[in-house]
Structure formats: C-alpha cells, structure tokens
C-alpha cells in the first residue's frame, strides 16, 4: 500500500514537471537553433539618458542601453552643438548596461539645456533639462535640510491631524461611520494619486523596455495581495493579544500612508536635486494642509479604542517619518525605477486598507454601505483631498 502511495505521488509530481520541461526545451530551441525563424526584421537600438548632473565645468549624463542589441556611444552634444566627451568605463553597452558620459562645458545655472547622445549608426537620443542646477553633494547640512523638509510635509501635518481624535471619540455611531467612510475617501484619493505619480515618473524617465504601465499594475496588485493577507492575520491576532482591533487597523493605515509618503519624499528629494522646485512658504503650507487629512485617517479607528498617547504618536511617526527617508534617497541617489516601485507599493497598501475600513463599517452594524452617512463621508473625503491638493 505504501509503495502504491509513493508511486501515485511520483506520477503527480511528474505530471506537473513535464509541461515545464517542454517549455524549457521550446525556449532553448527558440533562442538556439530556431533563432533564424524569428528573425523577421531589423532590431532597432535604443538608449535612455536616465540622469543629467551639472558638476563644476562639466555636464555628466548617465546613459543606459534599453534596446535589444548592443550599442556604441559615438558622440555627445549640448543644444545641438557637438562637444568633446569622455565615456566611462567605455563606449560599448550591452543591454541594460550603463555608462557615464562626461562633457566639459561651461554651463549657467537656471538655463535650459538639451543633452544629446549619438550612437554608432547615427541615431540621436536627447534629454531636456528645464533649468540647470548644481548636482547635490552629500553633506550633513543637506541631510538636515531634507530632514526638516520631510518633517514639515510628513510628520507635523500627520500629528496635527491626530488632534481630531478627541472630537471623533465623542460623536455618535452614525457620525463615526461618516468619519470612517471619510477616511476611506481620503485614502482612495491617495492611492489614485500614487498611481498617477508612478505613471508620470514612468512616462518621463523610465525606458519603454521596462513597460512602466504594466510595472505599476503588477507591483500595485502584488502589494495589495501581500498586505491584504498580512493585514487579515494582524486583525485576527488583535482579538487574542494586547493589540486591539482599532489599533491594528490604525497601524495598517499608518503603514499604507507611510509608504505613500516615502514615495512623496522621493519626488521631493529628486526635485531639489534637479533644481526644478522652489520650496517657498506657500508650497510647504500646501503640502501641510494636504497631508493633515492623513492624520484624520489614523485618528478615526483609534477613537474607538482606549486612548494611548504613546501608540498614537508612534502611528504618526510611522505615517510621516518615511517622507524624510524618501527625501534623502531621492536627493542623494534618485532612481526613476525605485520611485515607480515605491509609489506602486504605496498604492497597493492603501487599497488594502480601504477594504479593511469598509469591512469594519459593515461589521460595526452598518451593513448598508450605501447609507447616507457612509456615502457622504466617502464623497467628502475625496473632495477634501482634491481641494487641498490644489494648494500643493
């Protein structure tokens, strides 16, 4: 009997492995002996100028081969005028390999420039810089500056929003459901905003070979599924541990907002590095107003549990502090690919939290999610986020 069971398991395993073996053989043939069958056209070269730095009397362009074939960098130009250039480590690029093109040039701050790179077959690629700005060099003063900006746009607004907790704690159940739905509306706006920012970064700075739209969709869905599973486990364990259900939900909201603010910090740091954003008092106030509503999203579920100042402050730091780390990374080592990834992760996390909040409203007794309090709260949350976003 035992031998029969082993034989049966072996057949099951074999039936699962055999199709994969045929797939591998097919791919080996396509990229091997059968390669000529797919040679139906001429592959076109493509390179992407991922980053342009202005250093002293030099322009440095980071170039990546994003096409299907190897390329050779032939020459560089600035504003359509050919310039002498050094290429490090060398001019020959395999697929996805990068090189640094150094162009001696007396550039002027705040002036626009078009950097062009021509490869061996005469194809030219360019990147436009709206306003030249000196490349950022890591320093303690600059790190402190980014920390201050991150605190202004991340931590302080969230902490101010948490001050709504005493008010939300004293209102009726129906009005509480209004604020929970308002929280869901706020978060839905943030999720859509994250996807929009990810698509914008992808369209502007990410090579077409990375399939930016599909990358955003894939990472968002994977983030949602992963956090949905872990979030359900967290809520289930909350009832059997010291962590109450309201605190568990508030923690998930804080993590989702924190991931969003990390992506926002990346964008802020990159903007400072490119010299394209002037951080005026008006801009800081705009970010502060917009992000204050994020504190309401955390305060709403916490209002139905025991008031714990320490945990409330920790939630605010989880939600707001990532803006500082994002600003550091964005300013000192910006990568469009990383920005797209984290913005998409933030969107998926927020979608997961919205599902949790709506389930909580239903479990609280308001089975009709289309009731006036829920529908109006959701609508007001979206409207508030839109109106404050205009100021950013």
């Amino acid at each position: 009997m035992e031998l029969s069971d082993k034989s049966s398991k072996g057949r099951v395993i074999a039936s699962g492995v055999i199709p994969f073996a045929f797939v591998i053989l097919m791919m080996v043939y396509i990229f091997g002996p059968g390669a000529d069958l797919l040679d139906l056209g001429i592959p076109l070269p493509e390179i992407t100028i991922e980053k342009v730095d202005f250093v002293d009397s030099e322009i440095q362009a980071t170039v990546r081969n994003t096409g299907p074939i190897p390329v050779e960098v032939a020459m560089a130009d600035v504003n359509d005028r050919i310039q002498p250039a050094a290429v490090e480590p060398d001019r020959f690029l395999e697929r996805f390999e990068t090189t640094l093109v150094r162009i001696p040039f007396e550039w002027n701050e705040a002036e626009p420039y078009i950097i062009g790179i021509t490869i061996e077959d005469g194809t030219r690629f360019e990147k436009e810089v709206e306003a030249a700005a000196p490349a950022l060099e890591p320093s303690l003063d600059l790190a402190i500056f980014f920390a201050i900006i991150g605190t202004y746009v991340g931590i302080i607004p969230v902490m101010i929003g948490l001050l709504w907790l005493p008010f939300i704690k004293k209102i009726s159940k129906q009005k509480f459901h209004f604020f929970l739905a308002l929280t869901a509306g706020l978060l839905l706006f943030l999720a859509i905003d994250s996807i929009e920012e990810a698509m914008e970064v992808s369209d502007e700075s990410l090579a077409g070979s990375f399939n930016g739209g599909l990358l955003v969709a894939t990472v968002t869905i994977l983030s949602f599924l992963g956090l949905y599973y872990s979030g359900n486990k967290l809520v289930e364990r909350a009832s059997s541990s010291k962590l109450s259900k309201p605190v568990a939900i508030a923690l998930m909201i804080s993590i989702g907002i924190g991931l969003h603010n990390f992506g926002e910090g990346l964008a802020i740091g990159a903007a400072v590095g490119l010299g394209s954003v002037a951080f005026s008092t008006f801009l800081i106030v705009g970010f502060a107003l917009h992000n204050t509503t994020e504190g309401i999203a955390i305060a709403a579920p916490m209002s139905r549990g025991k008031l714990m100042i320490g945990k409330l402050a920790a939630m605010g730091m989880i939600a707001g502090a990532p803006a500082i780390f994002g600003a550091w990374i964005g300013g000192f080592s910006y990568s469009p690919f990383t920005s797209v990834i984290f913005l998409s992760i933030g969107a998926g996390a927020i979608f997961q939290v919205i599902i949790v909040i709506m389930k909580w409203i239903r479990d609280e007794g308001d089975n009709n999610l289309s009731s006036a309090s829920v529908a109006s709260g959701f609508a007001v949350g979206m409207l508030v986020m839109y109106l404050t976003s205009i100021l950013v």
Side-chain angles (χ1 to χ4, degrees), residues 146 150 262 265-266 320-331:
F146 278 133
F262 183 86
L266 283 173
I324 298 176
F325 298 105
W328 283 337
I329 295 174

Side-chain angles (χ1 to χ4, degrees), residues 232-385:
N232 282 344
K233 292 295 183 183
L234 181 63
V235 173
E236 288 173 6
R237 293 177 182 177
S239 57
S240 59
S241 65
K242 295 181 180 180
L243 189 68
S244 65
K245 184 175 180 179
V247 174
I249 293 176
L251 177 59
M252 285 189 288
I253 293 174
S254 300
I255 293 172
I257 291 174
L259 290 170
H260 169 81
N261 284 339
F262 183 86
E264 192 174 79
L266 283 173
I268 292 171
V272 174
L274 296 174
S276 60
V277 174
F279 278 89
S280 63
T281 303
F282 179 78
L283 181 64
I284 294 174
V285 170
F287 271 119
L289 284 174
H290 184 62
N291 290 349
T292 296
T293 53
E294 296 172 356
I296 302 175
I298 301 170
M302 287 287 285
S303 66
R304 281 307 181 261
K306 184 179 178 182
L307 181 59
M308 295 167 282
I309 301 299
K311 287 185 178 180
L312 193 64
M315 301 290 182
M317 291 299 295
I318 291 172
I324 298 176
F325 298 105
W328 283 337
I329 295 174
F332 296 137
S333 57
Y334 176 73
S335 165
F337 185 81
T338 303
S339 294
V340 171
I341 291 293
F342 276 102
L343 287 168
S344 301
I345 290 174
I350 293 172
F351 280 128
Q352 177 265 337
V353 173
I354 293 171
I355 297 296
V356 172
I357 291 174
M358 300 310 288
K359 279 186 175 180
W360 193 22
I361 295 175
R362 184 191 61 193
D363 295 341
E364 282 261 308
D366 199 343
N367 291 319
N368 183 12
L369 295 178
S370 62
S371 64
S373 59
V374 174
S376 59
F378 209 95
V380 170
M382 292 284 291
L383 182 61
V384 167
M385 288 300 278

Side-chain angles (χ1 to χ4, degrees), residues 5 9 31 119 131-133 140 166 172 177 179 200 265 270 300 309 325 349 356:
D5 290 340
K9 289 181 180 178
F31 289 102
I119 58 177
L140 180 60
S172 65
H177 286 172
F179 273 96
E200 185 177 341
I309 301 299
F325 298 105
V356 172

Side-chain angles (χ1 to χ4, degrees), residues 134-149:
L136 297 181
E137 296 182 4
S139 66
L140 180 60
D141 290 341
L142 191 56
I144 292 173
F145 169 76
F146 278 133
I148 292 173
I149 294 299

Side-chain angles (χ1 to χ4, degrees), residues 193-205:
D193 183 54
S194 291
I195 292 176
E196 184 182 23
E197 288 182 26
M199 291 301 299
E200 185 177 341
V201 173
S202 173
D203 292 340
E204 291 181 357
S205 305

Side-chain angles (χ1 to χ4, degrees), residues 205-221:
S205 305
L206 206 60
S209 58
F210 285 107
N211 293 321
L214 292 177
L215 176 64
V216 172
T218 301
V219 175
T220 299
I221 293 171

Side-chain angles (χ1 to χ4, degrees), residues 31 35-36 38-47 65-72 95 119-123 125:
F31 289 102
D36 293 339
L38 300 179
D39 190 13
L40 303 177
I42 300 174
L44 298 177
E46 180 184 358
I47 64 171
N65 176 13
T66 51
I69 58 176
V71 298
E72 178 186 355
R95 191 177 190 194
I119 58 177
E120 79 285 355
D121 68 351
T123 307
F125 301 87

Side-chain angles (χ1 to χ4, degrees), residues 147-165:
I148 292 173
I149 294 299
T151 301
Y152 270 122
V153 303
I155 297 175
I156 293 177
V158 172
M159 291 298 185
I160 292 175
L162 291 176
L163 297 177
W164 282 82
L165 190 143

